[in-house]
Amino acid sequence: MSVSTVGNGRVELSGRSALLAVGDLLAIGTFVAVGEFTHGINPFLNPGRFAGTLTPFLLGWVLVAAIGGLYTSDGIGTLRAAVSRTAVAWVLAVGIAQALRATELFPGNAALTFALVSILVGGTLLVCWRSVAATLLHRYVDRKEGLLR
C-alpha cells in the first residue's frame, strides 16, 4: 500500500501520523498545563499565556519530529525506535523552545533548570505516549493492513 509523504518522505500523510500528532499535542499540552498550574497560572483562565508558553515547545517539537522522521512508520517501527527517537527529538525540541523563550516573543525565559525539568517531565510524557502508540499500533493496526495507513 502506498502512503503519501511530504518533506522528502520524512512525514507520512496518514491516519497513523495524525493519531501520533494528536497524542503528541496532548502530551506536550499536558506538560505545559501542569507547569502553568504549578506556577499559579490557570491555563483555562489565561489561554493567551498558555498558548504563549506552549508554542515554543510545539514549534521545536514539530520541527525536530518532522526532520527526524517521527511521523513515519519507521518513527515508531519498534518500541526501541519509538523510545530512542522520541527522547532525542524531545531534547532537541526543548533546546529550540528554550532559545525561543529567550526572546521577547514568548513568556518566560531560558533557564537550565527549566530545560532539565522540561526534558524529564515532557520527555516522560512523550516517551510513554509514543511507547503505548507503537505497541498498540503494531498489535492492533498493522495486522489489519491499511486500517490507519
Side-chain angles (χ1 to χ4, degrees), residues 2 33 39 68 74 79 95 104 106 108-109 112 116-117 145-146 149:
S2 172
H39 292 285
D74 291 342
L79 183 58
E104 294 181 13
F106 300 100
N109 55 20
L112 179 59
L116 294 175
V117 168
E145 185 171 315
R149 286 187 183 255

Side-chain angles (χ1 to χ4, degrees), residues 64-118:
V64 174
I67 291 171
L70 270 73
Y71 292 108
T72 65
S73 298
D74 291 342
I76 59 163
T78 65
L79 183 58
R80 183 177 184 184
V83 169
S84 61
R85 288 183 178 198
T86 300
V88 170
W90 182 244
V91 170
L92 296 173
V94 168
I96 292 169
Q98 290 298 308
L100 291 171
R101 288 173 55 88
T103 69
E104 294 181 13
L105 297 173
F106 300 100
N109 55 20
L112 179 59
T113 53
F114 181 54
L116 294 175
V117 168
S118 300

